[in-house]
Amino acid sequence: MTEPIIKFDKVVKAFGSFVVLNKLDFEVKPGEKVTIIGPSGSGKSTVLRILMTLEPITDGVVYVDGQPLWHEKSGDGSLKPAGEPHLRKMREKMGMVFQQFNLFPHMTVRRNITEAPIQVLGIAKSEARDRANELLEMVGLTEHADKYPHQLSGGQQQRVGIARALAMRPKIMLFDEPTSALDPELVGEVLNVIRKLAEEHDLTMLLVTHEMNFARQISDRVCFFDQGRMLEEAPPEELFTNPKEQRTREFLKAVLEGN
Amino acid sequence: MDWTQYLNPLMQGALVTIELTIYSTILGAILSFAAGIGKTARNPVIKVIAATYIEIFRGTSLLVQLFWLYFALPVAGQAMGIDLRLPPVVAGVLALSLNIGAYGAEVVRGAIQAVSKDQYEAAKALNFTPRKTLWRIALPQAIPEMMPAFGNLAIQNLKDTALVSLISLSDLAFRAEQLRNFTQDSTTIYTMALFMYFGLALVLTAMMKLLERYVSRWRVGAR
Amino acid sequence: MLFGIPWDTSSNLAFAVSILPILLIGLWVTIQATVLGFFIALVVGLVWAALKAAPTRVISWPAAVITEFLRDTPLLIQLFFLYYVLPEFGIILPAFMTGALALGLQYSAYTSEVYRAGIEAVPRGQHEASRALNLTGRRTFTHIVLPQAIPRIIPAMGNYLVSIMKDVPLLSVVTVLEMLNVARIIGDRTFNYLIPLTMVGGLYLIMTLIASGGVRFLDRRLPKTGIPLK
């Protein structure tokens, strides 16, 4: 029985009176590939944003790699809100791929990938460059290394985004709707990179997506979120072919008919 | 007197004007960044200092500031037993830079705050410190946005240097006034002075355009 | 003593209190010059804007050059030019008028841009829709373009009003007794520049805060989608 690498314990996230996550319990095991699906407003992206520390939680405890993410242990063993040094240490464990890529527009592709390893991890320039070259080869963009993001297609930009996150050697990769902003013909190249990553590495991957077929292929487990709760979770075959909940069936029907 | 005879003294004045413009634009730019970044700081003390500086120097007249530094500050110094008499060139450059710096600070603040939230999130996800996020992510994207406004401020600054003639610095405006006193040939002299300022402004505009192109070189072909 | 009002140098506070009414007389002149200069800037700027929008380059190009020239040369020199050169052509104006004219001319270059930008910001689709509805060019301008342009124009003009107010002290060089000049005279006579000049700074701060507050208020209150027509 392995310890979960991610654990949400009765996590509440509210914006004012609007509750996004309602006492969410949720776990991911090391190396597991988990996909979160659900209608918009179900809180699925919020799960990733909380993990990346972009969004603080309102109540409950999040554990990452055995340690509370948003809390620190104080002298008497009780939990107190975490300070910036703790958050910085926790962030090292995770990498994130954004829906809108969020590449740095003023840096070349290569510098987008090397900047954080050099500036944040303090890795030597030559080493960061070698690593960037490996990653660029992996995502198939070696010949674009010296271009600026605006010179690339959306699909190419998102592949850079993946390489940039991987350059920090995270244990957990968070994908926040990585293909939603792409033209349909560019979705495949990004999914292929993610698939390769899922097959060849023991990274823990947490993915929010609307690509149901893709979720089916790469996931160990699919979770259906609705109204701030996890309504149902199951291996993909089971969830897609035989969902237990009425809401899940409705959602899958709507999505699959839409496609 | 022939107009060519005015050329030499006016040129000497123009040199002083150029020097004043260069010094005060550079010092003003430094103040712009210091106060503009300061106003976006989380530290409330820094924020209040920056905001107060900006309010005072944007809210009052440049000539009032110049006269205050030149005439009033020595009186204040006397009361405290310190010699605060400033040479005209120091008072002039200081007043010009403090004034233009306050306007520039608002430009810097606006441009920094206009950098998209997504960029800050990406920087956070990659674990950049707030300081490195500012210097390596936000500012390089914000500076090109500042350039058109900075271009206007540089021209404003060039024009404002004429005020230092009123504390007897022998810039272009001062020389023109001197020549007019001497010859009473006001039409020729002031026409020449106006065209010389215009020429300087055109050169300054061209230089600011070059600078703009340099700091935005990564954007070539974008948009 | 100035304007028949004596000052009291017995203490700093008494001095400050006694010269306040004198400074306020100067402030009144500052406000008058601001308003007159602003009015000239609004009218002349509109003329420049119209000329720059002229269909023939013979008109639009010189207008563009002249406004660029006005914008790029110092107000002080423009002021001296008007003050010393106009009389040579037989135009003799009081110093106050010359000063307001100089302010108005310099700022007309800025206001002409505000008019232009305000009108150009009205989307092209609005013109196309008006044409589709067969409105005349004149009616399109008065009923479609202007009501949408004015809410954009007013706040920018307000900012220039504040700028003009801050440039009024320049008029002191042609003997206009505006607030800074008054303060300097008091300083010259009492050898205490600190108090009058600091007070002028304070009064300016109050005036610009009030004016900027007014501009922000207008900006909030004006309907962004245009002035509703009845």
Side-chain angles (χ1 to χ4, degrees):
Chain A
M1 186 66 208
T2 43
E3 280 294 305
I5 191 166
I6 296 170
K7 184 177 173 193
F8 278 58
D9 185 5
K10 295 192 181 55
V11 172
V12 177
K13 172 66 192 176
F15 294 100
S17 60
F18 180 67
V19 179
V20 187
L21 294 182
N22 190 0
K23 293 197 177 158
L24 174 71
D25 288 318
F26 173 62
E27 287 184 8
V28 178
K29 291 194 193 70
E32 203 180 8
K33 324 296 183 211
V34 175
T35 304
I36 302 179
I37 60 171
S40 59
S42 59
K44 53 194 196 306
S45 283
T46 309
V47 169
L48 302 194
R49 292 175 58 78
I50 285 174
L51 283 167
M52 200 62 254
T53 72
L54 301 176
E55 218 67 86
I57 55 176
T58 312
D59 197 16
V61 185
V62 177
Y63 296 89
V64 171
D65 211 7
Q67 292 179 62
L69 175 66
W70 282 100
H71 302 83
E72 287 175 273
K73 290 217 169 68
S74 56
D76 58 1
S78 65
L79 292 177
K80 57 170 189 179
E84 186 57 24
H86 175 79
L87 291 174
R88 286 183 63 75
K89 211 175 79 225
M90 297 302 286
R91 261 181 229 129
E92 282 174 11
K93 302 173 193 292
M94 288 167 284
M96 185 156 181
V97 174
F98 296 89
Q99 184 178 354
Q100 300 291 341
F101 333 135
N102 299 7
L103 297 184
F104 302 129
H106 58 297
M107 296 179 186
T108 60
V109 164
R110 187 184 280 113
R111 247 194 91 192
N112 259 283
I113 301 171
T114 58
E115 186 75 2
I118 294 169
Q119 295 296 331
V120 178
L121 302 179
I123 286 172
K125 271 189 186 151
S126 58
E127 197 188 331
R129 241 180 119 81
D130 292 346
R131 171 83 176 137
N133 290 341
E134 279 170 33
L135 287 166
L136 281 170
E137 200 184 321
M138 192 200 107
V139 299
L141 289 172
T142 304
E143 68 274 30
H144 298 293
D146 296 313
K147 289 186 181 167
Y148 285 96
H150 70 258
Q151 297 169 306
L152 304 180
S153 74
Q156 291 169 328
Q157 289 191 50
Q158 191 59 296
R159 280 141 71 193
V160 177
I162 294 169
R164 182 177 72 171
L166 287 172
M168 296 298 278
R169 299 186 183 276
K171 289 183 175 176
I172 302 166
M173 278 289 280
L174 309 169
F175 295 87
D176 186 8
E177 304 197 26
T179 58
S180 297
L182 296 176
D183 292 335
E185 73 270 21
L186 302 177
V187 169
E189 60 187 74
V190 172
L191 294 184
N192 283 337
V193 168
I194 300 176
R195 181 181 294 120
K196 199 156 88 182
L197 207 58
E199 285 163 1
E200 296 173 7
H201 297 264
D202 58 357
L203 274 169
T204 305
M205 287 172 50
L206 191 51
L207 185 84
V208 170
T209 185
H210 295 293
E211 300 288 334
M212 296 304 155
N213 271 330
F214 179 69
R216 196 168 183 156
Q217 291 162 19
I218 70 143
S219 313
D220 299 319
R221 181 158 53 103
V222 177
C223 305
F224 176 70
F225 272 55
D226 190 39
Q227 294 182 340
R229 286 169 181 276
M230 187 165 64
L231 218 60
E232 184 168 1
E233 58 174 331
E237 285 312 315
E238 197 181 318
L239 191 118
F240 284 118
T241 49
N242 191 19
K244 289 193 193 71
E245 300 286 334
Q246 175 68 18
R247 279 290 297 135
T248 318
R249 273 197 292 276
E250 283 166 14
F251 174 78
L252 287 174
K253 189 159 173 274
V255 170
L256 295 173
E257 273 170 9
N259 280 356
Chain B
M1 234 161 110
D2 184 41
W3 69 273
T4 48
Q5 287 175 278
Y6 303 138
L7 216 46
N8 201 28
L10 288 180
M11 280 297 190
Q12 285 176 357
L15 279 180
V16 175
T17 294
I18 292 169
E19 274 179 60
L20 285 167
T21 308
I22 292 173
Y23 294 153
S24 54
T25 302
I26 292 172
L27 195 54
I30 295 170
L31 284 166
S32 300
F33 278 96
I37 292 169
K39 211 177 165 186
T40 63
R42 277 194 231 158
N43 183 326
V45 179
I46 294 175
K47 207 170 178 163
V48 166
I49 292 173
T52 310
Y53 157 66
I54 294 169
E55 275 307 312
I56 288 179
F57 281 87
R58 274 169 55 106
T60 59
S61 165
L62 171 59
L63 197 54
V64 175
Q65 292 154 23
L66 181 68
F67 281 3
W68 199 92
L69 284 177
Y70 192 65
F71 295 111
L73 191 63
V75 180
Q78 223 172 17
M80 292 183 288
I82 320 166
D83 185 7
L84 288 177
R85 281 174 300 175
L86 301 177
V89 66
V90 175
V93 169
L94 213 53
L96 288 168
S97 342
L98 284 166
N99 183 265
I100 213 75
Y103 286 92
E106 283 296 281
V107 174
V108 170
R109 180 197 58 78
I112 290 176
Q113 290 179 345
V115 172
S116 91
K117 199 170 132 275
D118 287 350
Q119 289 291 310
Y120 289 104
E121 290 195 344
K124 197 171 184 184
L126 291 165
N127 229 347
F128 283 94
T129 59
R131 176 169 304 195
K132 283 194 167 149
T133 304
L134 175 69
W135 287 102
R136 302 202 157 254
I137 311 299
L139 275 180
Q141 295 181 54
I143 288 174
E145 299 294 330
M146 302 172 193
M147 289 314 291
F150 272 178
N152 289 337
L153 286 178
I155 297 296
Q156 184 68 45
N157 203 24
L158 166 67
K159 294 195 298 175
D160 284 346
T161 58
L163 296 191
V164 301
S165 65
L166 303 177
I167 57 169
S168 63
L169 262 171
S170 51
D171 71 329
L172 180 50
F174 186 83
R175 295 283 181 168
E177 171 68 3
Q178 219 176 20
L179 281 175
R180 186 203 58 81
N181 256 325
F182 207 61
T183 65
Q184 297 300 320
D185 187 4
S186 22
T187 313
T188 316
I189 292 164
Y190 283 124
T191 305
M192 287 174 75
L194 282 172
F195 274 96
M196 286 170 84
Y197 273 111
F198 189 50
L200 289 178
L202 293 182
V203 172
L204 188 56
T205 305
M207 280 163 55
M208 292 304 286
K209 281 270 183 299
L210 281 179
L211 188 61
E212 177 172 357
R213 202 178 302 167
Y214 174 74
V215 297
S216 338
R217 61 200 181 284
W218 53 270
R219 294 210 289 207
V220 175
R223 298 186 190 184
Chain C
M1 185 151 109
L2 193 63
F3 304 132
I5 301 171
W7 44 70
D8 174 359
T9 50
S10 59
S11 74
N12 282 341
L13 183 65
F15 182 54
V17 171
S18 66
I19 63 171
L20 183 62
I22 309 178
L23 291 177
L24 289 180
I25 293 173
L27 177 62
W28 178 233
V29 175
T30 300
I31 292 172
Q32 286 173 315
T34 305
V35 171
L36 185 57
F38 185 55
F39 178 74
I40 296 170
L42 287 182
V43 175
V44 180
L46 192 57
V47 174
W48 294 134
L51 292 179
K52 281 197 278 190
T56 161
R57 250 191 236 162
V58 183
I59 299 175
S60 65
W61 200 75
V65 172
I66 292 170
T67 50
E68 191 63 41
F69 190 88
L70 285 173
R71 206 202 333 263
D72 282 354
T73 50
L75 176 59
L76 185 70
I77 310 288
Q78 293 174 6
L79 178 62
F80 278 138
F81 187 89
L82 292 179
Y83 189 70
Y84 290 112
V85 175
L86 284 185
E88 288 189 13
F89 294 88
I91 306 168
I92 297 167
L93 295 173
F96 175 83
M97 284 302 196
T98 312
L101 186 61
L103 283 170
L105 280 181
Q106 165 127 110
Y107 278 92
S108 70
Y110 294 101
T111 58
S112 73
E113 277 304 294
V114 175
Y115 289 120
R116 192 192 54 76
I119 286 167
E120 280 183 2
V122 176
R124 182 210 275 279
Q126 294 286 310
H127 291 270
E128 287 169 357
S130 306
R131 182 159 298 179
L133 292 170
N134 223 354
L135 296 179
T136 61
R138 189 196 178 89
R139 204 173 165 77
T140 303
F141 189 73
T142 55
H143 281 65
I144 309 295
V145 177
L146 271 190
Q148 296 183 62
I150 286 172
R152 297 171 217 267
I153 289 174
I154 288 179
M157 289 301 185
N159 288 330
Y160 283 127
L161 176 72
V162 179
S163 296
I164 290 177
M165 186 164 69
K166 287 185 279 190
D167 274 346
V168 170
L170 264 75
L171 272 50
S172 61
V173 300
V174 294
T175 72
V176 174
L177 283 173
E178 50 66 54
M179 186 163 53
L180 181 66
N181 204 2
V182 169
R184 254 200 91 180
I185 293 171
I186 298 171
D188 286 342
R189 297 200 189 153
T190 60
F191 301 105
N192 186 346
Y193 290 98
L194 182 61
I195 290 173
L197 286 178
T198 308
M199 287 172 75
V200 169
L203 286 168
Y204 254 104
L205 216 48
I206 293 169
M207 294 294 298
T208 50
L209 284 177
I210 293 172
S212 319
V215 172
R216 269 200 296 276
F217 176 77
L218 267 179
D219 196 18
R220 268 203 312 274
R221 289 298 293 271
L222 285 168
K224 282 287 159 303
T225 50
I227 297 168
L229 295 179
K230 295 212 173 91

